[in-house]
């Protein structure tokens, strides 16, 4: 991505503003090819679902931890205690302290449990973790997560795995305007225009998995997402034209010759 515009999280610099997951692919080779096409520096790993090491092939056999920043997450956890234990195991197993916190409220909607997320975030940050917290698209909750010490806040665009795109752009924009830490849209992205919109709203990055892994051609979709995030960031930095109620000619009309 733009070399002079790095994503900075917890004082670490990353070239790409696109973060990708490692799950749901048909195979680990497909996951590797897609992630390479995405250009991502950060890859998320659901510790309760993925095998990092062992006798069978693992994610680390295909994605070199020296080339990628692994972001362990607590996907599948439904209480603060469960999430804290899971992420503490990540630190013990691999020394990871930059983590993604997820605490789900129920198994049907997979919406976050805000109270449990706030509780876990406060404990983890005090214990030395750099917490990137997944939450709903509520500006008040996002600010509270920042206040308890989260290094990034990750509001959903839509329910996890839905592919519905950003359902409440004004809320995402409000979260961005009220934040002093990076804001990354997480969950619900379905196609490249969704990723671009997130960046045009001022988000610092986008995290996705299903949108790439479940595409007919995951590698091609990963490349599309890479370019969409870049284009959206460039458009945000350029500053869009103001919207008008009526037409405005592209060429000046003054001084035209009549007849």
């Amino acid at each position: 991505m733009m070399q002079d515009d790095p994503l900075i999280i917890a004082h670490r610099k990353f070239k790409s503003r696109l973060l990708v997951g490692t799950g749901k692919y048909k195979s680990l080779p497909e996951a590797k090819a897609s992630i390479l096409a995405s250009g991502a520096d950060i890859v998320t790993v659901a510790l309760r679902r993925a095998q990092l090491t062992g006798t069978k092939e693992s994610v680390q056999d295909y994605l070199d931890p020296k080339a990628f920043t692994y972001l362990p997450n607590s996907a599948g956890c439904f209480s603060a205690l469960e999430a804290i234990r899971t992420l503490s195991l990540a630190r013990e197993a691999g020394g990871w302290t930059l983590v993604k916190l997820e605490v789900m409220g129920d198994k049907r909607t997979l919406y976050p449990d805000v109270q449990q997320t706030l509780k876990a975030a406060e404990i983890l940050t005090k214990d030395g973790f750099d917490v990137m917290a997944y939450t709903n698209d509520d500006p008040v909750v996002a600010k509270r997560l920042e206040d308890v010490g989260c290094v990034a806040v990750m509001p959903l665009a839509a329910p996890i795995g839905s592919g519905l795109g950003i359902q409440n752009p004004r809320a995402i924009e409000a979260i961005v305007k009220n934040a002093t830490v990076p804001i990354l849209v997480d969950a619900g992205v379905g196609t490249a225009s969704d990723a671009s919109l997130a960046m045009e709203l001022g988000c610092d990055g986008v995290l996705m998995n299903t949108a790439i892994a479940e595409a007919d051609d995951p590698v091609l979709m990963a490349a599309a997402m890479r370019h969409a995030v870049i284009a959206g960031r460039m458009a945000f930095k350029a500053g869009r034209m103001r919207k008008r109620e009526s037409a405005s000619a592209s060429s000046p009309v003054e001084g035209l010759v009549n007849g």
Side-chain angles (χ1 to χ4, degrees):
M1 195 170 284
M2 295 179 290
Q3 296 298 317
D4 59 343
D5 186 35
L7 171 63
I8 301 175
I9 300 176
H11 307 294
R12 308 182 197 188
K13 292 185 179 181
F14 303 97
K15 293 182 292 182
S16 176
R17 292 177 178 271
L18 175 60
L19 292 70
V20 294
T22 55
K24 297 189 176 182
Y25 291 96
K26 297 180 183 69
S27 66
L28 285 171
E30 181 183 78
K32 178 180 180 179
S34 301
I35 291 167
L36 289 175
S38 77
D41 299 312
I42 300 175
V43 295
T44 66
V45 178
L47 293 173
R48 291 173 62 86
R49 300 176 187 147
Q51 179 174 332
L52 287 176
T53 58
T55 56
K56 296 181 180 180
E57 286 187 319
S58 70
V59 172
Q60 292 194 57
D61 291 327
Y62 287 85
L63 300 172
D64 184 355
K66 295 180 180 178
F68 294 92
T69 295
Y70 274 58
L71 182 66
N73 71 49
S74 56
C77 294
F78 288 85
S79 71
L81 181 59
E82 197 176 12
I84 291 166
R85 285 176 176 170
T86 298
L87 296 175
S88 295
L89 285 173
R91 182 167 62 182
E92 291 177 17
W96 292 294
T97 55
L98 179 65
V99 296
K100 179 189 170 189
L101 171 64
E102 297 182 33
V103 185
M104 302 305 177
D106 70 85
K107 294 181 180 180
R108 185 179 65 84
T109 67
L110 295 180
Y111 272 101
D113 184 319
V114 170
Q115 291 181 332
Q116 292 293 301
T117 300
L118 282 164
K119 179 180 177 180
E122 187 168 11
I123 293 171
L124 287 165
T125 55
K126 288 180 179 178
D127 194 28
F129 284 92
D130 292 322
V131 178
M132 300 172 65
Y134 170 69
T135 184
N136 58 21
D137 57 1
D138 185 334
V140 174
V141 173
K143 194 62 180 176
R144 287 179 179 169
L145 285 166
E146 180 182 337
D147 290 343
V148 300
C150 292
V151 297
V153 177
M154 310 176 77
L156 55 80
I160 290 173
S162 68
L164 291 172
I166 298 176
Q167 297 296 290
N168 197 345
R170 299 287 74 83
I172 297 296
E173 198 169 35
I175 290 171
V176 169
K177 289 181 178 178
N178 199 36
T180 58
V181 298
I183 302 298
L184 299 90
V185 156
D186 179 14
V189 169
T191 191
S193 58
D194 301 330
S196 187
L197 175 58
M199 300 306 295
E200 289 172 11
L201 291 172
C203 292
D204 297 279
V206 181
L207 190 152
M208 66 183 72
N209 186 182
T210 309
I212 296 175
E214 292 191 359
D216 291 341
D217 186 334
V219 176
L220 186 59
M221 182 60 80
M225 293 298 190
R226 176 180 188 171
H227 293 296
V229 168
I230 293 172
R233 176 64 176 177
M234 292 175 72
F236 172 73
K237 292 195 74 176
R240 66 158 291 147
M241 61 168 282
R242 69 178 180 86
K243 296 181 180 180
R244 300 184 176 92
E245 294 294 328
S246 59
S248 176
S250 298
S251 302
V253 295
E254 296 81 7
L256 292 180
V257 177
N258 294 321

